[in-house]
Structures are given as structure tokens and as C-alpha cells.
Amino acid sequence: MLNQVARSLGQIEGQASPFVAVIEGVRTLLHADGVAVLVRDSSGDYVFRVAHGGLAEWDDYTLSVSGSGLLETLHARDQVTLFKRAQRNPWAGEFLLAAGMNWGALAPIRIRDQSVGALLVNNRRAVHVRAEHIEAFENLATLAGVAIQEEHLREDLEDLFMSVIVSLTMALEAKDPYTEGHSVRVAAYSEAIGKQLGLPTEALDLIHRSCLLHDIGKIAVDETILAKKGRLNPLEREKMDMHVLIGEDILRPIALLHPLLPGVRHHHEQFDGRGYPDGLKGEEIPIEARIMAVADAFDAMTSSRPYREALPEEEALAELRRAAGAQFDPRVVAAFEQIYPAVKRTLENLRPRVG
Ligand SMILES: [Fe+2]
């Protein structure tokens, strides 16, 4: 039986969430109909961090105050607690959560002597458990502790990663005052376009971050070119266009920033294939880059630049419409027109978030 658990863990090695291994292990070990990992959050509440099978509907729920009190008892005892519906005790009352469940088990989860959560099982039928089952269940709770710790580390890393993005953005805007606020506005437009197009949350986060950094390569472009009044000559144009490749080079050493590279590289591609650096066409261009191209162009047209005054928004919108299907993805332009009034109000009323 333990071999079977080990095998089920081996099969899912490399999965994105280490919680998957815990859930699979518990399902195999106790033939569980429902498994959940409860994690204590910063305010001391227990939240259903992962919930599976019969307990799936509890995902993201916060445990009741009385349930949390029982978990404190569990931690004080520091051992697995088993309970049955027939016993009518508080454990069965609080923790047999899914319909038709009659048997349950709870193991405390600790990280270095700190109580951080609990591993919960609900079963329709009672399971005859031996000492080995209990020990394996405790080990899976330890594994869940490792998963929680890994999640905390990842959150710290995410914070660090966002401060890298913010400081890079500020470094760019300090160098080129004409682009002040540009990246933040492009990010706000682009995220809203992505939402309008129905993209998932992770994609929206990626878009937001890519936008903040899209022009980071301009750090290496000569100030006289950035601030030039009048048209750029071909050599200057070439240097300016290099910013998409330089941006990629700047970010590449940081592995965490790799998902942002396609947006940075391709935000000057055009839908009809006439853009740079790769001349990609249509849907070959990553969606974040197609979105960014529209938001970037609109914000550039409606801001004053060294070489011209800002265009009125109606003219800029007309220009986007005119170039839909040529320079821009027409679906993205249509989405932009939908979201523009609301985003405009937000940008006027709020200081947009950086990061
Ligand atoms: Fe750019």
C-alpha cells in the first residue's frame, strides 16, 4: 500500500503545485472521497487552500470560528485525529463537510514547530487504519508543510520580482521624461483589453508586467535620439528600433522575467507583418504584444512628444480604427474602444498601480 502511495507521488513529480502530490497521496492512502489542505493565513483564520473531490466546493472558504478552535486543539495534541458521523462529537460536526460523508481524519501541519494548517480527509465509508496508515498520513501532512513553505517563498520572490520591475520602470522614466507615466497607462489599458477579450487572470498579470517593462530597452538608447525634435534619420531609427532587442537582453538574465520576454520583443510587430523585429503576422504575434501595440500607440498619440503635440482622443481613436486589420489586430482595437471610457475615468481619478 505504501509502495502504491510512493508510486502515485512519483508519477506526478514535476507538477506545478506540490499540493497535487499531497492530495494524490492522501487519496491513494485512505481511499479518500474528499481531501483538503487548510492553511492559516496572516490573520490567524484557516482557509481551504486546496480542496478536492467531495470537498471541492470548499475551495477558498474560511473555516468557522468553532472549527478553528478545534484545529488549535489538534495542534496542541499534535497527532492525527479520526472521527465518525455516528460519534456525534464536535469533530464530526465541524469536519464532515460534504454530503454523505461518514468518516474523517485530520493531521496537523507544521513548519519548524509552527502550526500552519491541517490536512483533512472526508470519506463515505469508515476506513480501517493501522499505524502505518497514520504514519504515512503524518508524512503527507509534512509534505503539505513543505508545499506551504514553498508557497511563502514564492510569494516573497514575487514581491522581490515586482520591485525589480518597478525600479526598472522608474529608471527608464527618469531618463526619458516624455514617457513619464506612459508604461503605467499602457499597462492599465492593456490589462483592461485583456479582460474584455476574456483572458484568464494569469495572462492579465503577465500583460500588466510586460507593459510596465515593454520599453525598458530605451535605457540604452541615446538621450539625443529619445528627445529629438523632428523625424529620426535612418540610422537613428535603427538605433531606436533596437530597444525591443536590448530590452530582451536586459531582462533575460532574470529567469523569473522570462515570461515577459515575448511581449517586450514583439510589441512593435504589426498585424499585417510589416512591423519589427521579426515581421510576425496576425496570430503569430503573441496576444500580449498585439494588445500592447494598440495601447502603446493610443497613449503615444494622445501624449505630447518632443516632435509633436498630443492628438485629441477622438482623432487617436479614429486612427486606431483606420489601422485595424493592417497595423493592429481588429479584435484588440474593438476591445479597446469598449474599455477606453472606463479606463480613462480610472486613470483620471486614481494614481494607477505600479506593479
Ligand atoms: Fe516600444
PDB file of all heavy atoms in Angstrom, residues 34 45 55 72 86 98 109 156 217 227 271 296 333:
ATOM      1  N   GLY A  34     -12.860  12.894  -0.260  1.00  0.00           N
ATOM      2  CA  GLY A  34     -12.611  14.337  -0.269  1.00  0.00           C
ATOM      3  C   GLY A  34     -11.344  14.625   0.518  1.00  0.00           C
ATOM      4  O   GLY A  34     -11.124  14.032   1.575  1.00  0.00           O
ATOM      5  N   ASP A  45      -6.889  33.057  10.540  1.00  0.00           N
ATOM      6  CA  ASP A  45      -8.008  32.245  10.050  1.00  0.00           C
ATOM      7  C   ASP A  45      -7.483  31.062   9.242  1.00  0.00           C
ATOM      8  O   ASP A  45      -6.433  31.163   8.602  1.00  0.00           O
ATOM      9  CB  ASP A  45      -8.912  33.075   9.129  1.00  0.00           C
ATOM     10  CG  ASP A  45      -9.641  34.167   9.886  1.00  0.00           C
ATOM     11  OD1 ASP A  45      -9.945  33.949  11.076  1.00  0.00           O
ATOM     12  OD2 ASP A  45      -9.890  35.234   9.288  1.00  0.00           O
ATOM     13  N   LEU A  55     -14.855  17.524  -1.286  1.00  0.00           N
ATOM     14  CA  LEU A  55     -14.663  18.789  -0.553  1.00  0.00           C
ATOM     15  C   LEU A  55     -14.405  19.975  -1.491  1.00  0.00           C
ATOM     16  O   LEU A  55     -14.190  21.092  -1.029  1.00  0.00           O
ATOM     17  CB  LEU A  55     -13.493  18.649   0.434  1.00  0.00           C
ATOM     18  CG  LEU A  55     -13.752  17.734   1.644  1.00  0.00           C
ATOM     19  CD1 LEU A  55     -12.456  17.467   2.402  1.00  0.00           C
ATOM     20  CD2 LEU A  55     -14.778  18.359   2.585  1.00  0.00           C
ATOM     21  N   GLU A  72      -6.922  24.269  16.844  1.00  0.00           N
ATOM     22  CA  GLU A  72      -5.954  24.624  17.899  1.00  0.00           C
ATOM     23  C   GLU A  72      -5.761  23.415  18.822  1.00  0.00           C
ATOM     24  O   GLU A  72      -4.641  23.102  19.227  1.00  0.00           O
ATOM     25  CB  GLU A  72      -6.425  25.842  18.708  1.00  0.00           C
ATOM     26  CG  GLU A  72      -6.592  27.132  17.894  1.00  0.00           C
ATOM     27  CD  GLU A  72      -5.351  27.515  17.095  1.00  0.00           C
ATOM     28  OE1 GLU A  72      -4.223  27.311  17.586  1.00  0.00           O
ATOM     29  OE2 GLU A  72      -5.507  27.999  15.945  1.00  0.00           O
ATOM     30  N   ALA A  86     -21.232   8.810  13.349  1.00  0.00           N
ATOM     31  CA  ALA A  86     -22.008   8.142  14.396  1.00  0.00           C
ATOM     32  C   ALA A  86     -21.617   8.618  15.796  1.00  0.00           C
ATOM     33  O   ALA A  86     -22.418   8.532  16.727  1.00  0.00           O
ATOM     34  CB  ALA A  86     -21.816   6.631  14.281  1.00  0.00           C
ATOM     35  N   ALA A  98     -18.833  17.350   3.577  1.00  0.00           N
ATOM     36  CA  ALA A  98     -19.538  17.063   2.329  1.00  0.00           C
ATOM     37  C   ALA A  98     -20.720  16.135   2.620  1.00  0.00           C
ATOM     38  O   ALA A  98     -20.701  15.372   3.583  1.00  0.00           O
ATOM     39  CB  ALA A  98     -18.580  16.426   1.343  1.00  0.00           C
ATOM     40  N   ILE A 109      -0.508  20.322  10.409  1.00  0.00           N
ATOM     41  CA  ILE A 109       0.624  20.648   9.520  1.00  0.00           C
ATOM     42  C   ILE A 109       1.486  21.684  10.225  1.00  0.00           C
ATOM     43  O   ILE A 109       0.977  22.711  10.684  1.00  0.00           O
ATOM     44  CB  ILE A 109       0.135  21.224   8.169  1.00  0.00           C
ATOM     45  CG1 ILE A 109      -0.757  20.217   7.444  1.00  0.00           C
ATOM     46  CG2 ILE A 109       1.323  21.601   7.292  1.00  0.00           C
ATOM     47  CD1 ILE A 109      -1.366  20.761   6.144  1.00  0.00           C
ATOM     48  N   ASP A 156       7.399  35.688  -1.490  1.00  0.00           N
ATOM     49  CA  ASP A 156       8.491  36.636  -1.230  1.00  0.00           C
ATOM     50  C   ASP A 156       9.223  36.961  -2.521  1.00  0.00           C
ATOM     51  O   ASP A 156       9.572  38.110  -2.798  1.00  0.00           O
ATOM     52  CB  ASP A 156       9.503  36.043  -0.236  1.00  0.00           C
ATOM     53  CG  ASP A 156       8.922  35.968   1.163  1.00  0.00           C
ATOM     54  OD1 ASP A 156       7.825  36.526   1.368  1.00  0.00           O
ATOM     55  OD2 ASP A 156       9.553  35.343   2.038  1.00  0.00           O
ATOM     56  N   GLY A 217      14.259  48.681 -22.892  1.00  0.00           N
ATOM     57  CA  GLY A 217      15.456  48.743 -23.738  1.00  0.00           C
ATOM     58  C   GLY A 217      15.842  50.173 -24.101  1.00  0.00           C
ATOM     59  O   GLY A 217      16.984  50.432 -24.513  1.00  0.00           O
ATOM     60  N   ALA A 227      15.008  62.354 -27.294  1.00  0.00           N
ATOM     61  CA  ALA A 227      14.441  63.691 -27.136  1.00  0.00           C
ATOM     62  C   ALA A 227      14.462  64.493 -28.430  1.00  0.00           C
ATOM     63  O   ALA A 227      14.160  65.682 -28.428  1.00  0.00           O
ATOM     64  CB  ALA A 227      15.210  64.438 -26.039  1.00  0.00           C
ATOM     65  N   PHE A 271       0.112  43.689 -37.302  1.00  0.00           N
ATOM     66  CA  PHE A 271      -0.798  42.590 -37.654  1.00  0.00           C
ATOM     67  C   PHE A 271      -0.596  42.127 -39.100  1.00  0.00           C
ATOM     68  O   PHE A 271      -0.706  40.960 -39.413  1.00  0.00           O
ATOM     69  CB  PHE A 271      -2.240  43.065 -37.424  1.00  0.00           C
ATOM     70  CG  PHE A 271      -3.220  41.952 -37.276  1.00  0.00           C
ATOM     71  CD1 PHE A 271      -3.154  41.070 -36.204  1.00  0.00           C
ATOM     72  CD2 PHE A 271      -4.247  41.776 -38.212  1.00  0.00           C
ATOM     73  CE1 PHE A 271      -4.068  40.036 -36.062  1.00  0.00           C
ATOM     74  CE2 PHE A 271      -5.172  40.745 -38.075  1.00  0.00           C
ATOM     75  CZ  PHE A 271      -5.078  39.879 -36.998  1.00  0.00           C
ATOM     76  N   ASP A 296      -0.164  51.070 -26.594  1.00  0.00           N
ATOM     77  CA  ASP A 296       1.048  51.882 -26.723  1.00  0.00           C
ATOM     78  C   ASP A 296       0.819  52.993 -27.750  1.00  0.00           C
ATOM     79  O   ASP A 296       1.096  54.166 -27.498  1.00  0.00           O
ATOM     80  CB  ASP A 296       2.185  50.948 -27.172  1.00  0.00           C
ATOM     81  CG  ASP A 296       3.551  51.615 -27.144  1.00  0.00           C
ATOM     82  OD1 ASP A 296       3.696  52.632 -26.451  1.00  0.00           O
ATOM     83  OD2 ASP A 296       4.475  51.095 -27.804  1.00  0.00           O
ATOM     84  N   VAL A 333      -8.516  46.259 -31.260  1.00  0.00           N
ATOM     85  CA  VAL A 333      -8.990  47.642 -31.402  1.00  0.00           C
ATOM     86  C   VAL A 333     -10.440  47.743 -30.916  1.00  0.00           C
ATOM     87  O   VAL A 333     -10.799  48.658 -30.162  1.00  0.00           O
ATOM     88  CB  VAL A 333      -8.869  48.127 -32.866  1.00  0.00           C
ATOM     89  CG1 VAL A 333      -9.511  49.487 -33.039  1.00  0.00           C
ATOM     90  CG2 VAL A 333      -7.400  48.170 -33.292  1.00  0.00           C
TER      91      VAL A 333
END
